[in-house]
Amino acid sequence: MKQQLLLILLTAFLSLNCYAQINYEKGYYIDNEGQKTEVLIKNIDWNNNPTEFEFRQSADSQSENATIKTVREFGINNFSKYSRQLVNIDRSSGNLDLLSEDSSPRFKEEELFLEVLIEGKANLYLYNDGNITRYFYSKDGSKIEQLIFKKYLTSDNNIGTNEGYKQQLFNDLKCPAFTMRKVENVDYRKNELISFFEDYNKCHNQDYINFKEKQKKDLFNLNIRPGINFSSLSMYNTVSDFKDTDFGDELGFRLGIEGEFIMPFNKNKWAIILEPTYRNYKSEQSQESGTVSGGILITRVDYKSIELPIGVRHYLYFNDNSKLFLNASYVVDLNLDSTLEFFRQNGSMYSSLDIKPKGVIALGVGYKFMDKYSIEMRYHTSRELLVGYSYWRSDYETVSMIIGYSLF
């Protein structure tokens, strides 16, 4: 049964993506002639700035491609806006092994789709490409320039930083309330630069649009996740079989608290999950044995632990209130005074073994509704509980049924 469930979960991981709804959202594009066309754009929430995008003229029409060569601007309503611009960009690597000894940026003219973050009297733009993140700005329709930030290797082999963007902000975005200290405290990060450009537009009583505020993503969820475990345990000795025991299937309780960290790209479809979980398994088996006095060997196991699954989750949306999810986790197991003991028929202890569990892989498939309620089935691969013993082997398997509720 558990092997069949594993096959089902693996099949789900490989095939469910084929059946997930692809979101085409209301948007527009402006072509090279300046003509604006209302379309439905495939919103994949680009992590790296795109050079093309897919769109449909209507919900039931075929998808088409548009590229940076034919489109000078496109946007998804209440979500994002991209503007084609010819800019000078410094692509110097920030990788510590590839730092140059030149503190000055090395600009190259390129045509790029820049993401518009703030649009007003002063505009803020973003460009992402792999490990490169660059911010650009303009004021009152002026030419768009890169905000200068570059790490470099100093003559004494230390890491220096060219923070020329601070001088640019101080010189070009003046406001009576702005001090040099305010500018010095602005890090080269999205949220801090957005906040600064908001303050500038407010200072000059100018209307502006914050496209990131429109998105308002919830990037962390705390979920309580109780459930039941269907578990089995068998153990055997490779030298002598008189203590071999199959404890069979047992029902156990589990309680987890899950932290879910949503990745801020690709429409929030990816998340990192960490779920400390209490679980237990308890069973007893008796068997005839001519080796112990009384002729009966009683084996008792009381296995309690805190599991720490650390993994990734992928969401497959049906609509705004309904989505499937797939998990893959590595589970670290922290033993809590578990016991595995052998007794004679009169109740006296014959011997015992120390439980030392090994980490395993867990795969899960689930459903979430209204971003509040969830149900998941999870399969753990076979777990060895007798690590460190030369002649003992064990096989502990678990299938979990988990219900969840998001606290926030």
Side-chain angles (χ1 to χ4, degrees):
M1 176 64 183
K2 288 173 182 172
Q3 287 75 15
Q4 292 173 335
L5 177 60
L6 177 59
L7 180 61
I8 291 171
L9 289 174
L10 288 174
T11 303
F13 266 78
L14 295 174
S15 64
L16 273 178
N17 204 28
C18 298
Y19 301 99
Q21 176 178 330
I22 298 174
N23 289 329
Y24 282 82
E25 301 181 15
K26 290 182 179 180
Y28 71 94
Y29 70 84
I30 299 175
D31 62 22
N32 289 335
E33 285 69 46
Q35 181 177 343
K36 182 176 181 180
T37 305
E38 304 287 338
V39 292
L40 299 173
I41 296 178
K42 184 179 180 181
N43 188 357
I44 60 174
D45 195 10
W46 297 271
N47 186 37
N48 294 326
N49 288 44
T51 57
E52 61 181 15
F53 60 92
E54 287 185 39
F55 69 92
R56 289 176 176 173
Q57 299 290 347
S58 63
D60 55 358
S61 65
Q62 292 293 320
S63 64
E64 303 177 55
N65 274 4
T67 72
I68 195 170
K69 296 299 182 184
T70 59
V71 171
R72 71 186 194 191
E73 179 181 303
F74 76 95
I76 297 172
N77 297 353
N78 298 318
F79 189 81
S80 61
K81 177 179 177 179
Y82 288 86
S83 176
R84 186 184 70 192
Q85 299 291 339
L86 190 64
V87 295
N88 288 316
I89 182 171
D90 169 38
R91 288 185 175 270
S92 301
S93 175
N95 189 317
L96 298 183
D97 296 326
L98 300 175
L99 292 181
S100 73
E101 297 179 357
D102 186 0
S103 63
S104 300
R106 296 182 179 179
F107 289 116
K108 179 183 177 183
E109 189 175 69
E110 296 185 33
E111 193 170 55
L112 307 171
F113 271 138
L114 299 182
E115 183 180 5
V116 183
L117 302 180
I118 296 288
E119 189 172 65
K121 178 178 175 64
N123 301 332
L124 176 65
Y125 307 87
L126 167 66
Y127 180 75
N128 268 329
D129 185 14
N131 294 323
I132 294 175
T133 298
R134 300 289 185 262
Y135 295 96
F136 295 79
Y137 79 108
S138 66
K139 185 183 72 170
D140 297 325
S142 64
K143 181 181 178 181
I144 296 175
E145 296 182 29
Q146 181 186 314
L147 288 167
I148 297 170
F149 178 87
K150 180 181 178 179
K151 290 187 178 296
Y152 61 93
L153 202 61
T154 65
S155 57
D156 55 356
N157 256 1
N158 289 319
I159 297 173
T161 305
N162 180 346
E163 296 184 331
Y165 73 95
K166 293 182 178 180
Q167 193 64 51
Q168 290 172 287
L169 295 179
F170 185 74
N171 291 341
D172 295 341
L173 302 183
K174 292 186 178 295
C175 169
F178 289 2
T179 64
M180 191 61 193
R181 173 168 290 188
K182 175 180 175 65
V183 176
E184 285 290 343
N185 289 333
V186 178
D187 289 335
Y188 200 75
R189 295 178 181 175
K190 183 190 297 182
N191 289 340
E192 297 202 19
L193 288 169
I194 285 176
S195 178
F196 183 87
F197 275 74
E198 282 186 314
D199 290 345
Y200 174 81
N201 284 290
K202 290 175 182 176
C203 174
H204 292 274
N205 297 314
Q206 295 292 316
D207 293 333
Y208 67 93
I209 300 173
N210 180 345
F211 286 91
K212 287 301 155 182
E213 187 177 53
K214 287 173 174 286
Q215 295 181 33
K216 287 264 184 205
K217 296 174 183 175
D218 180 11
L219 299 182
F220 177 75
N221 297 316
L222 185 66
N223 310 310
I224 183 168
R225 289 165 57 83
I228 53 177
N229 291 334
F230 303 90
S231 305
S232 64
L233 172 62
S234 60
M235 49 180 281
Y236 65 94
N237 190 291
T238 58
V239 177
S240 173
D241 63 0
F242 89 96
K243 290 183 181 179
D244 292 359
T245 307
D246 185 350
F247 291 97
D249 296 324
E250 296 288 344
L251 205 61
F253 176 72
R254 55 101 67 198
L255 177 62
I257 296 291
E258 178 188 76
E260 182 182 34
F261 304 86
I262 307 295
M263 298 294 98
F265 55 83
N266 198 216
K267 284 291 280 183
N268 295 4
K269 289 184 178 180
W270 292 94
I272 304 297
I273 53 175
L274 174 64
E275 184 185 358
T277 304
Y278 172 81
R279 37 78 49 229
N280 74 306
Y281 175 90
K282 192 171 185 178
S283 185
E284 177 180 310
Q285 292 292 327
S286 300
Q287 57 183 311
E288 295 182 358
S289 174
T291 308
V292 298
S293 61
I296 299 294
L297 180 68
I298 302 171
T299 309
R300 295 172 184 160
V301 60
D302 186 3
Y303 170 36
K304 305 181 293 291
S305 70
I306 297 293
E307 292 181 336
L308 287 176
I310 304 170
V312 296
R313 172 170 293 155
H314 181 56
Y315 282 105
L316 306 167
Y317 290 87
F318 292 125
N319 53 53
D320 290 341
N321 295 322
S322 181
K323 53 190 174 183
L324 287 175
F325 60 86
L326 306 172
N327 300 331
S329 303
Y330 181 75
V331 183
V332 178
D333 200 45
L334 306 177
N335 185 23
L336 295 177
D337 297 323
S338 301
T339 56
L340 178 52
E341 299 169 325
F342 302 91
F343 294 88
R344 302 179 183 87
Q345 188 177 24
N346 63 7
S348 61
M349 183 180 291
Y350 179 74
S351 65
S352 64
L353 296 170
D354 292 329
I355 292 181
K356 297 178 180 179
K358 190 176 182 179
V360 295
I361 300 297
L363 301 175
V365 58
Y367 173 76
K368 194 164 189 178
F369 181 67
M370 298 290 292
D371 279 330
K372 275 290 183 183
Y373 311 97
S374 65
I375 185 168
E376 178 188 343
M377 182 173 287
R378 183 179 295 178
Y379 173 80
H380 294 74
T381 56
S382 178
R383 180 179 303 175
E384 175 62 66
L385 299 186
L386 301 175
V387 174
Y389 288 97
S390 300
Y391 304 113
W392 280 103
R393 301 291 182 270
S394 64
D395 181 10
Y396 178 80
E397 293 188 3
T398 298
V399 174
S400 302
M401 184 64 68
I402 307 165
I403 58 174
Y405 178 77
S406 293
L407 300 175
F408 57 82

